[in-house]
Amino acid sequence: MPFDPETIIGEVLGRKAQKGINPEESGFECPFIHSRCPKRSTQLPDEPYPVCTLWRRGEGKPEEDLIFVCPKRFYAVDFLKEVVEHCWPGEKPKSPQVAPEVKMTGFGNVDFVIADVQDDGEIGQFLSVELQAIDITGSAFKAYEALRAGEDLDERPTYGFNWDNVYKRYITQLIRKGYFHHHWKSKIVAVIPEQVYRYIVGRADFMRSSDVKETQVNIIFMTYRLENDPSRPGEYRPQLVTVEGTSHSNLQNAILYKEAPKRDMFTTQIKKSLVRSLNLSDLINAGAFPLMEYHEEEGPVPPEAD
């Protein structure tokens, strides 16, 4: 049964996906950064892979089902200005300046730092800002190919959203960086899709506060979702939804110290797996050992990965 690629690909170069689209006509220019799209796919060695958003269910309302898969899509709004407006503690900065991609050994990096620079050039108060879209599992590349060819697909491609990668890796990094910012008497702001934030909260119901300027808050979640753009009928725009804060310790405790399952539930599972031997060679000969796959340690999945 034919499958419409427009129900998979949400946007290409910031415009609603339509069959027959040709991103080469604009030189693959991203309208949000005013330069060539930096997103790449291993299946396109010689040109960008300019997919901004994907549909989660292949249909539905954009505010629920259209999800950022490229962090540059946030650049459609002045999120740095909104960080200052909603997250800056105390009086507004007198001389705010932005430092992009600040790196330090033992810390890692952040996408931006907004700093209040003093008259003598020293750094006063500052906020770090990180952007996080979502990676995908599988591939939506065939849908992109069909879109450019102006054709339907023979079948729906297999792809999904890598929620676990955000939860396990990104949140772990955020806890660590939140701890550093706590010692620096500062805060880190995570700019993420609203759907991703709701997934995180659903798995780790940590203490949250709408008073993000409170001194105990050192991690702030600032979330956006895509909504219909009244100024561009048929197109979408990011809309600020949630600004909530927590501390690195609250977030860490919510993830590590969940309510323990009952002992009898675990002993039931033990009984199902019991083998009448304590001799390792007997277990191996009987094939009664865990089937595990071993992988080299993986690094963070790059935002542009397909």
Side-chain angles (χ1 to χ4, degrees):
M1 183 176 179
F3 201 89
D4 187 351
E6 293 178 14
T7 63
I8 296 172
I9 307 295
E11 296 171 304
V12 173
L13 293 177
R15 304 302 299 267
K16 184 177 181 181
Q18 295 182 336
K19 281 185 282 189
I21 192 170
N22 182 11
E24 283 185 295
E25 290 180 347
S26 66
F28 294 97
E29 181 172 300
C30 172
F32 310 121
I33 59 173
H34 306 296
S35 61
R36 189 174 174 88
C37 171
K39 198 164 182 280
R40 294 292 182 270
S41 167
T42 55
Q43 299 181 75
L44 284 174
D46 300 320
E47 64 182 48
Y49 180 44
V51 174
C52 310
T53 58
L54 292 176
W55 289 102
R56 179 164 51 172
R57 300 186 182 95
E59 59 184 359
K61 298 178 181 179
E63 58 266 26
E64 296 175 0
D65 297 324
L66 190 59
I67 301 185
F68 301 75
V69 292
C70 178
K72 298 296 187 288
R73 187 64 178 89
F74 290 108
Y75 285 54
V77 293
D78 193 344
F79 59 85
L80 293 176
K81 182 178 179 181
E82 294 193 312
V83 165
V84 173
E85 180 181 349
H86 297 286
C87 307
W88 195 271
E91 296 182 2
K92 290 293 188 285
K94 295 179 180 179
S95 180
Q97 297 183 31
V98 177
E101 199 168 3
V102 177
K103 301 179 181 180
M104 186 173 70
T105 302
F107 170 76
N109 68 285
V110 289
D111 295 315
F112 300 95
V113 175
I114 306 171
D116 193 8
V117 181
Q118 308 302 304
D119 293 339
D120 59 2
E122 291 300 310
I123 303 299
Q125 181 63 267
F126 64 89
L127 290 177
S128 297
V129 183
E130 284 203 331
L131 303 177
Q132 179 68 39
I134 191 167
D135 307 312
I136 67 170
T137 58
S139 176
F141 182 73
K142 289 184 178 179
Y144 173 69
E145 281 187 313
L147 200 70
R148 290 192 62 175
E151 301 172 348
D152 284 336
L153 291 154
D154 293 333
E155 60 182 4
R156 181 184 178 87
T158 302
Y159 77 97
F161 296 95
N162 199 350
W163 306 100
D164 276 351
N165 183 58
V166 175
Y167 185 77
K168 294 177 180 178
R169 292 184 177 176
Y170 180 65
I171 293 302
T172 299
Q173 294 172 11
L174 201 56
I175 291 169
R176 181 167 160 269
K177 292 175 181 177
Y179 170 72
F180 293 146
H181 282 75
H182 162 72
H183 282 277
W184 299 335
K185 293 180 171 53
S186 184
K187 305 176 191 288
I188 183 168
V189 182
V191 178
I192 62 175
E194 170 71 5
Q195 300 98 324
V196 172
Y197 183 57
R198 291 301 153 203
Y199 175 82
I200 293 168
V201 170
R203 285 194 60 175
D205 190 16
F206 52 92
M207 293 178 64
R208 306 182 297 282
S209 172
S210 58
D211 183 7
V212 299
K213 299 178 182 182
E214 201 269 324
T215 56
Q216 295 303 312
V217 168
N218 50 52
I219 297 173
I220 301 173
F221 291 96
M222 200 167 85
T223 78
Y224 288 86
R225 69 185 177 201
L226 289 154
E227 299 182 351
N228 291 310
D229 188 347
S231 67
R232 299 186 305 152
E235 303 291 346
Y236 311 107
R237 66 177 182 184
Q239 181 67 42
L240 180 63
V241 181
T242 302
V243 181
E244 290 183 339
T246 189
S247 68
H248 67 281
S249 56
N250 281 336
L251 189 55
Q252 177 177 273
N253 290 341
I255 291 174
L256 293 179
Y257 303 113
K258 292 181 176 292
E259 183 178 353
K262 295 184 182 300
R263 184 180 187 277
D264 59 359
M265 293 174 62
F266 189 61
T267 57
T268 298
Q269 298 304 313
I270 294 173
K271 291 174 184 177
K272 291 179 180 179
S273 300
L274 284 174
V275 177
R276 295 180 180 277
S277 176
L278 277 178
N279 188 304
L280 182 59
S281 61
D282 290 344
L283 294 176
I284 294 172
N285 292 334
F289 53 87
L291 296 175
M292 294 182 285
E293 295 182 359
Y294 296 91
H295 303 275
E296 292 184 6
E297 184 178 351
E298 298 176 358
V301 178
E304 65 273 18
D306 178 19

